[in-house]
PDB file of all heavy atoms in Angstrom:
ATOM      1  N   THR A 245     -10.064   2.396 -15.575  1.00 98.00           N
ATOM      2  CA  THR A 245     -11.246   2.535 -16.448  1.00 98.00           C
ATOM      3  C   THR A 245     -12.198   1.375 -16.087  1.00 98.00           C
ATOM      4  O   THR A 245     -11.851   0.364 -15.446  1.00 98.00           O
ATOM      5  CB  THR A 245     -10.845   2.565 -17.955  1.00 98.00           C
ATOM      6  OG1 THR A 245     -10.333   1.304 -18.252  1.00 98.00           O
ATOM      7  CG2 THR A 245      -9.822   3.672 -18.222  1.00 98.00           C
ATOM      8  N   GLU A 246     -13.394   1.469 -16.659  1.00 98.00           N
ATOM      9  CA  GLU A 246     -14.336   0.359 -16.393  1.00 98.00           C
ATOM     10  C   GLU A 246     -13.878  -0.965 -17.063  1.00 98.00           C
ATOM     11  O   GLU A 246     -14.032  -2.059 -16.569  1.00 98.00           O
ATOM     12  CB  GLU A 246     -15.714   0.648 -16.997  1.00 98.00           C
ATOM     13  CG  GLU A 246     -16.779  -0.312 -16.686  1.00 98.00           C
ATOM     14  CD  GLU A 246     -18.163   0.145 -17.082  1.00 98.00           C
ATOM     15  OE1 GLU A 246     -18.261   1.108 -17.960  1.00 98.00           O
ATOM     16  OE2 GLU A 246     -19.168  -0.397 -16.652  1.00 98.00           O
ATOM     17  N   ASP A 247     -13.279  -0.799 -18.241  1.00 98.00           N
ATOM     18  CA  ASP A 247     -12.667  -1.975 -18.965  1.00 98.00           C
ATOM     19  C   ASP A 247     -11.521  -2.635 -18.081  1.00 98.00           C
ATOM     20  O   ASP A 247     -11.405  -3.861 -18.052  1.00 98.00           O
ATOM     21  CB  ASP A 247     -12.246  -1.705 -20.278  1.00 98.00           C
ATOM     22  CG  ASP A 247     -13.382  -1.339 -21.312  1.00 98.00           C
ATOM     23  OD1 ASP A 247     -14.517  -1.865 -20.943  1.00 98.00           O
ATOM     24  OD2 ASP A 247     -13.126  -0.733 -22.285  1.00 98.00           O
ATOM     25  N   GLU A 248     -10.698  -1.811 -17.589  1.00 98.00           N
ATOM     26  CA  GLU A 248      -9.604  -2.282 -16.730  1.00 98.00           C
ATOM     27  C   GLU A 248     -10.118  -2.920 -15.442  1.00 98.00           C
ATOM     28  O   GLU A 248      -9.546  -4.006 -14.956  1.00 98.00           O
ATOM     29  CB  GLU A 248      -8.636  -1.113 -16.382  1.00 98.00           C
ATOM     30  CG  GLU A 248      -7.830  -0.585 -17.595  1.00 98.00           C
ATOM     31  CD  GLU A 248      -7.169   0.647 -17.340  1.00 98.00           C
ATOM     32  OE1 GLU A 248      -7.425   1.338 -16.316  1.00 98.00           O
ATOM     33  OE2 GLU A 248      -6.338   1.040 -18.185  1.00 98.00           O
ATOM     34  N   ILE A 249     -11.198  -2.504 -14.904  1.00 98.00           N
ATOM     35  CA  ILE A 249     -11.805  -3.127 -13.760  1.00 98.00           C
ATOM     36  C   ILE A 249     -12.270  -4.549 -14.096  1.00 98.00           C
ATOM     37  O   ILE A 249     -12.083  -5.469 -13.390  1.00 98.00           O
ATOM     38  CB  ILE A 249     -12.954  -2.314 -13.092  1.00 98.00           C
ATOM     39  CG1 ILE A 249     -12.408  -1.003 -12.567  1.00 98.00           C
ATOM     40  CG2 ILE A 249     -13.758  -3.090 -12.111  1.00 98.00           C
ATOM     41  CD1 ILE A 249     -13.413  -0.017 -12.092  1.00 98.00           C
ATOM     42  N   ASN A 250     -12.933  -4.622 -15.310  1.00 98.00           N
ATOM     43  CA  ASN A 250     -13.464  -5.941 -15.742  1.00 98.00           C
ATOM     44  C   ASN A 250     -12.285  -6.871 -16.003  1.00 98.00           C
ATOM     45  O   ASN A 250     -12.404  -8.098 -15.700  1.00 98.00           O
ATOM     46  CB  ASN A 250     -14.210  -5.763 -17.096  1.00 98.00           C
ATOM     47  CG  ASN A 250     -15.523  -4.994 -16.824  1.00 98.00           C
ATOM     48  OD1 ASN A 250     -16.061  -5.036 -15.715  1.00 98.00           O
ATOM     49  ND2 ASN A 250     -16.021  -4.338 -17.898  1.00 98.00           N
ATOM     50  N   THR A 251     -11.164  -6.408 -16.573  1.00 98.00           N
ATOM     51  CA  THR A 251      -9.969  -7.243 -16.773  1.00 98.00           C
ATOM     52  C   THR A 251      -9.477  -7.667 -15.441  1.00 98.00           C
ATOM     53  O   THR A 251      -9.095  -8.848 -15.245  1.00 98.00           O
ATOM     54  CB  THR A 251      -8.874  -6.450 -17.505  1.00 98.00           C
ATOM     55  OG1 THR A 251      -9.432  -6.065 -18.804  1.00 98.00           O
ATOM     56  CG2 THR A 251      -7.701  -7.287 -17.719  1.00 98.00           C
ATOM     57  N   MET A 252      -9.396  -6.810 -14.421  1.00 98.00           N
ATOM     58  CA  MET A 252      -8.941  -7.192 -13.101  1.00 98.00           C
ATOM     59  C   MET A 252      -9.813  -8.241 -12.443  1.00 98.00           C
ATOM     60  O   MET A 252      -9.344  -9.277 -11.892  1.00 98.00           O
ATOM     61  CB  MET A 252      -8.924  -5.968 -12.170  1.00 98.00           C
ATOM     62  CG  MET A 252      -8.419  -6.299 -10.782  1.00 98.00           C
ATOM     63  SD  MET A 252      -8.590  -4.848  -9.663  1.00 98.00           S
ATOM     64  CE  MET A 252     -10.379  -4.672  -9.649  1.00 98.00           C
ATOM     65  N   LEU A 253     -11.066  -8.122 -12.624  1.00 98.00           N
ATOM     66  CA  LEU A 253     -12.030  -9.085 -12.040  1.00 98.00           C
ATOM     67  C   LEU A 253     -11.831 -10.469 -12.656  1.00 98.00           C
ATOM     68  O   LEU A 253     -11.904 -11.459 -11.896  1.00 98.00           O
ATOM     69  CB  LEU A 253     -13.447  -8.600 -12.202  1.00 98.00           C
ATOM     70  CG  LEU A 253     -13.884  -7.439 -11.428  1.00 98.00           C
ATOM     71  CD1 LEU A 253     -15.288  -6.909 -11.856  1.00 98.00           C
ATOM     72  CD2 LEU A 253     -13.934  -7.683  -9.866  1.00 98.00           C
ATOM     73  N   LYS A 254     -11.663 -10.536 -13.875  1.00 98.00           N
ATOM     74  CA  LYS A 254     -11.402 -11.823 -14.519  1.00 98.00           C
ATOM     75  C   LYS A 254     -10.062 -12.426 -14.137  1.00 98.00           C
ATOM     76  O   LYS A 254      -9.949 -13.573 -13.905  1.00 98.00           O
ATOM     77  CB  LYS A 254     -11.529 -11.648 -16.024  1.00 98.00           C
ATOM     78  CG  LYS A 254     -12.837 -11.340 -16.575  1.00 98.00           C
ATOM     79  CD  LYS A 254     -12.849 -11.087 -18.065  1.00 98.00           C
ATOM     80  CE  LYS A 254     -14.220 -10.778 -18.563  1.00 98.00           C
ATOM     81  NZ  LYS A 254     -14.184 -10.460 -20.085  1.00 98.00           N
ATOM     82  N   SER A 255      -9.089 -11.541 -13.971  1.00 98.00           N
ATOM     83  CA  SER A 255      -7.725 -12.017 -13.602  1.00 98.00           C
ATOM     84  C   SER A 255      -7.618 -12.501 -12.197  1.00 98.00           C
ATOM     85  O   SER A 255      -6.761 -13.364 -11.914  1.00 98.00           O
ATOM     86  CB  SER A 255      -6.727 -10.868 -13.821  1.00 98.00           C
ATOM     87  OG  SER A 255      -6.764 -10.338 -15.242  1.00 98.00           O
ATOM     88  N   ASN A 256      -8.452 -12.002 -11.344  1.00 98.00           N
ATOM     89  CA  ASN A 256      -8.377 -12.377  -9.907  1.00 98.00           C
ATOM     90  C   ASN A 256      -9.266 -13.560  -9.527  1.00 98.00           C
ATOM     91  O   ASN A 256      -9.169 -14.036  -8.410  1.00 98.00           O
ATOM     92  CB  ASN A 256      -8.852 -11.191  -9.057  1.00 98.00           C
ATOM     93  CG  ASN A 256      -7.823 -10.048  -9.017  1.00 98.00           C
ATOM     94  OD1 ASN A 256      -6.730 -10.235  -9.279  1.00 98.00           O
ATOM     95  ND2 ASN A 256      -8.319  -8.890  -8.593  1.00 98.00           N
ATOM     96  N   ARG A 257      -9.927 -14.190 -10.539  1.00 98.00           N
ATOM     97  CA  ARG A 257     -10.830 -15.251 -10.209  1.00 98.00           C
ATOM     98  C   ARG A 257      -9.967 -16.478  -9.828  1.00 98.00           C
ATOM     99  O   ARG A 257      -9.021 -16.913 -10.474  1.00 98.00           O
ATOM    100  CB  ARG A 257     -11.604 -15.620 -11.441  1.00 98.00           C
ATOM    101  CG  ARG A 257     -12.723 -14.583 -11.749  1.00 98.00           C
ATOM    102  CD  ARG A 257     -13.479 -15.018 -13.109  1.00 98.00           C
ATOM    103  NE  ARG A 257     -14.593 -14.058 -13.359  1.00 98.00           N
ATOM    104  CZ  ARG A 257     -15.297 -14.129 -14.467  1.00 98.00           C
ATOM    105  NH1 ARG A 257     -15.034 -15.110 -15.403  1.00 98.00           N
ATOM    106  NH2 ARG A 257     -16.211 -13.281 -14.669  1.00 98.00           N
ATOM    107  N   ASN A 258     -10.465 -17.115  -8.644  1.00 98.00           N
ATOM    108  CA  ASN A 258      -9.910 -18.440  -8.301  1.00 98.00           C
ATOM    109  C   ASN A 258     -10.837 -19.516  -8.891  1.00 98.00           C
ATOM    110  O   ASN A 258     -12.022 -19.300  -9.069  1.00 98.00           O
ATOM    111  CB  ASN A 258      -9.928 -18.553  -6.772  1.00 98.00           C
ATOM    112  CG  ASN A 258      -9.105 -17.456  -6.087  1.00 98.00           C
ATOM    113  OD1 ASN A 258      -9.520 -16.836  -5.135  1.00 98.00           O
ATOM    114  ND2 ASN A 258      -7.881 -17.260  -6.559  1.00 98.00           N
ATOM    115  N   MET A 259     -10.266 -20.638  -9.134  1.00 97.00           N
ATOM    116  CA  MET A 259     -10.968 -21.682  -9.828  1.00 97.00           C
ATOM    117  C   MET A 259     -12.263 -22.183  -9.040  1.00 97.00           C
ATOM    118  O   MET A 259     -12.137 -22.476  -7.902  1.00 97.00           O
ATOM    119  CB  MET A 259     -10.010 -22.895 -10.082  1.00 97.00           C
ATOM    120  CG  MET A 259     -10.593 -23.964 -10.905  1.00 97.00           C
ATOM    121  SD  MET A 259      -9.372 -25.197 -11.336  1.00 97.00           S
ATOM    122  CE  MET A 259      -8.854 -25.805  -9.689  1.00 97.00           C
ATOM    123  N   TYR A 260     -13.349 -22.190  -9.813  1.00 97.00           N
ATOM    124  CA  TYR A 260     -14.676 -22.645  -9.215  1.00 97.00           C
ATOM    125  C   TYR A 260     -15.133 -21.894  -8.046  1.00 97.00           C
ATOM    126  O   TYR A 260     -16.069 -22.302  -7.346  1.00 97.00           O
ATOM    127  CB  TYR A 260     -14.542 -24.138  -8.871  1.00 97.00           C
ATOM    128  CG  TYR A 260     -14.139 -25.025 -10.024  1.00 97.00           C
ATOM    129  CD1 TYR A 260     -13.167 -26.025  -9.879  1.00 97.00           C
ATOM    130  CD2 TYR A 260     -14.677 -24.934 -11.298  1.00 97.00           C
ATOM    131  CE1 TYR A 260     -12.766 -26.856 -10.846  1.00 97.00           C
ATOM    132  CE2 TYR A 260     -14.244 -25.757 -12.328  1.00 97.00           C
ATOM    133  CZ  TYR A 260     -13.331 -26.660 -12.082  1.00 97.00           C
ATOM    134  OH  TYR A 260     -12.863 -27.473 -13.158  1.00 97.00           O
ATOM    135  N   ASP A 261     -14.589 -20.668  -7.859  1.00 98.00           N
ATOM    136  CA  ASP A 261     -15.046 -19.836  -6.733  1.00 98.00           C
ATOM    137  C   ASP A 261     -16.154 -18.897  -7.134  1.00 98.00           C
ATOM    138  O   ASP A 261     -16.048 -17.744  -7.273  1.00 98.00           O
ATOM    139  CB  ASP A 261     -13.819 -18.996  -6.210  1.00 98.00           C
ATOM    140  CG  ASP A 261     -14.279 -18.133  -5.022  1.00 98.00           C
ATOM    141  OD1 ASP A 261     -15.239 -18.446  -4.247  1.00 98.00           O
ATOM    142  OD2 ASP A 261     -13.564 -17.092  -4.853  1.00 98.00           O
ATOM    143  N   PHE A 262     -17.322 -19.522  -7.477  1.00 97.00           N
ATOM    144  CA  PHE A 262     -18.433 -18.766  -8.038  1.00 97.00           C
ATOM    145  C   PHE A 262     -18.938 -17.730  -7.124  1.00 97.00           C
ATOM    146  O   PHE A 262     -19.363 -16.600  -7.529  1.00 97.00           O
ATOM    147  CB  PHE A 262     -19.546 -19.747  -8.471  1.00 97.00           C
ATOM    148  CG  PHE A 262     -19.103 -20.782  -9.361  1.00 97.00           C
ATOM    149  CD1 PHE A 262     -19.020 -22.118  -9.008  1.00 97.00           C
ATOM    150  CD2 PHE A 262     -18.635 -20.461 -10.716  1.00 97.00           C
ATOM    151  CE1 PHE A 262     -18.611 -23.108  -9.928  1.00 97.00           C
ATOM    152  CE2 PHE A 262     -18.248 -21.398 -11.539  1.00 97.00           C
ATOM    153  CZ  PHE A 262     -18.196 -22.756 -11.135  1.00 97.00           C
ATOM    154  N   LEU A 263     -18.985 -18.012  -5.865  1.00 97.00           N
ATOM    155  CA  LEU A 263     -19.435 -17.021  -4.804  1.00 97.00           C
ATOM    156  C   LEU A 263     -18.500 -15.821  -4.763  1.00 97.00           C
ATOM    157  O   LEU A 263     -18.922 -14.661  -4.738  1.00 97.00           O
ATOM    158  CB  LEU A 263     -19.515 -17.689  -3.434  1.00 97.00           C
ATOM    159  CG  LEU A 263     -19.964 -16.684  -2.310  1.00 97.00           C
ATOM    160  CD1 LEU A 263     -21.443 -16.125  -2.585  1.00 97.00           C
ATOM    161  CD2 LEU A 263     -20.009 -17.409  -0.942  1.00 97.00           C
TER     162      LEU A 263
END
Side-chain angles (χ1 to χ4, degrees):
T245 65
E246 187 173 14
D247 288 341
E248 290 169 346
I249 292 173
N250 292 333
T251 300
M252 177 189 65
L253 290 170
K254 293 177 182 177
S255 302
N256 287 342
R257 287 177 178 174
N258 300 132
M259 186 172 61
Y260 303 133
D261 179 25
F262 303 113
L263 178 61

